[in-house]
Amino acid sequence: MRKRLIQISGFLISTLGWLFVLCTMAMDFWRITQLGGQGGSFIIKVAWYWSNLWKDCFTDSTAVTNCRDFPVLWSVTAYVQGVRGLLMCGLTLGFFGAVLCFVGMECTYIGGADKTKDKLLFAGAVFHFAGGVSDIAAYCLYINRIARTSFSNTLAPGVLRYDLGTPIFLGLVGSFFILLGAVFYAVTVFQVICPESKVVEVYGEHTYMAPVSRERTLYNGYYRSSRQYRSYYGSGRSGSSNLSKLSQTTPTKKSERDAFV
């Protein structure tokens, strides 16, 4: 029950984050600056310059907006191309991750056996994690460009100092949600995908061994050490007939192997 709740929470959180990132690509005011109106003056008119990933715009105090669309893809500023590419890559990975996680969740009845569903869920978590990292890289690239211009001591005439807009913060929150959802997915299936061989002491000198080779247990049993002889008690499959004979020895009888030592 706990596993299902964690997986459903991860699905909702990661999907919500993916939608946040998707919405930011169509939102305005990625960067914005204000001219005029400083100091409470009503004489000087206020104007806003703002941009997104697709156009540059100017809005005057009468709410009239004039925009200039960016030219064709290969003539756009390099950092804008990079942000677009990283966001599109992250959204694509997130889409495939959402599909894989939906199929691999325990509460759905598609995807095959439980172990197959766990593998699909883990693959979806990896897709989500990679997509979230790609989205964060895109926003950080845009923030770095704005910060370099805003805090520069030497600016060319006519270059404006922009501030960060709402889509940047919404996108960062969405990227964090995507990474958090990927962690929720991975926690529920990590122990199933990557099992560990355990050695547990049961009774004093008796030690239980459970070796695993390529998802198949070769043998299991108890090994008891003694000063005079050593014997192995166990059951299972083995490729050697001698090992099968030795596994049937008793504590009161020395094994055939020790007779030749």
Side-chain angles (χ1 to χ4, degrees):
M1 185 65 180
R2 183 182 301 177
K3 181 179 179 180
R4 290 188 178 185
L5 289 177
I6 294 176
Q7 290 179 357
I8 293 173
S9 300
F11 182 79
L12 295 177
I13 292 174
S14 60
T15 304
L16 182 64
W18 187 84
L19 291 176
F20 280 179
V21 175
L22 180 63
C23 290
T24 59
M25 292 197 68
M27 292 177 67
D28 297 329
F29 303 105
W30 274 62
R31 61 176 184 175
I32 185 172
T33 187
Q34 175 182 342
L35 294 178
Q38 285 84 4
S41 174
F42 294 97
I43 300 175
I44 303 176
K45 293 183 178 181
V46 181
W48 293 271
Y49 288 90
W50 54 272
S51 302
N52 60 11
L53 296 179
W54 315 103
K55 57 188 175 181
D56 267 327
C57 295
F58 167 77
T59 304
D60 59 18
S61 57
T62 61
V64 176
T65 302
N66 296 316
C67 295
R68 178 184 65 88
D69 294 334
F70 288 155
V72 291
L73 179 63
W74 48 86
S75 60
V76 182
T77 309
Y79 82 95
V80 175
Q81 288 182 351
V83 173
R84 288 178 180 177
L86 288 172
L87 286 180
M88 291 179 181
C89 181
L91 290 173
T92 304
L93 291 174
F95 173 77
F96 286 110
V99 173
L100 290 174
C101 290
F102 180 79
V103 174
M105 286 195 302
E106 188 180 19
C107 59
T108 58
Y109 295 97
I110 54 178
D114 291 340
K115 194 161 187 178
T116 303
K117 290 171 68 69
D118 290 337
K119 290 181 179 180
L120 290 175
L121 189 68
F122 189 77
V126 172
F127 272 72
H128 272 307
F129 189 84
V133 171
S134 180
D135 295 333
I136 290 178
Y139 294 118
C140 289
L141 177 61
Y142 199 90
I143 292 171
N144 178 64
R145 179 73 178 197
I146 302 303
R148 286 175 56 188
T149 305
S150 299
F151 296 102
S152 177
N153 295 326
T154 58
L155 282 179
V159 178
L160 300 175
R161 297 178 185 269
Y162 285 92
D163 296 325
L164 297 176
T166 305
I168 300 294
F169 301 101
L170 183 63
L172 290 175
V173 172
S175 301
F176 173 75
F177 281 174
I178 293 174
L179 295 179
L180 184 61
V183 172
F184 281 3
Y185 287 137
V187 166
T188 59
V189 297
F190 180 75
Q191 293 183 351
V192 179
I193 299 298
C194 303
E196 297 180 357
S197 298
K198 297 181 179 180
V199 177
V200 181
E201 184 175 353
V202 182
Y203 299 108
E205 298 179 354
H206 292 75
T207 303
Y208 176 73
M209 297 175 295
V212 178
S213 176
R214 295 184 180 180
E215 303 181 355
R216 186 182 67 180
T217 303
L218 297 180
Y219 57 87
N220 51 38
Y222 296 93
Y223 179 81
R224 178 182 177 184
S225 60
S226 176
R227 296 181 180 179
Q228 298 179 355
Y229 64 89
R230 295 180 180 178
S231 59
Y232 175 78
Y233 312 91
S235 63
R237 302 178 62 181
S238 173
S240 174
S241 59
N242 295 329
L243 181 59
S244 177
K245 295 179 180 179
L246 292 175
S247 63
Q248 300 175 0
T249 57
T250 61
T252 58
K253 182 180 179 181
K254 295 179 64 176
S255 62
E256 299 175 3
R257 178 184 58 185
D258 296 326
F260 298 98
V261 177

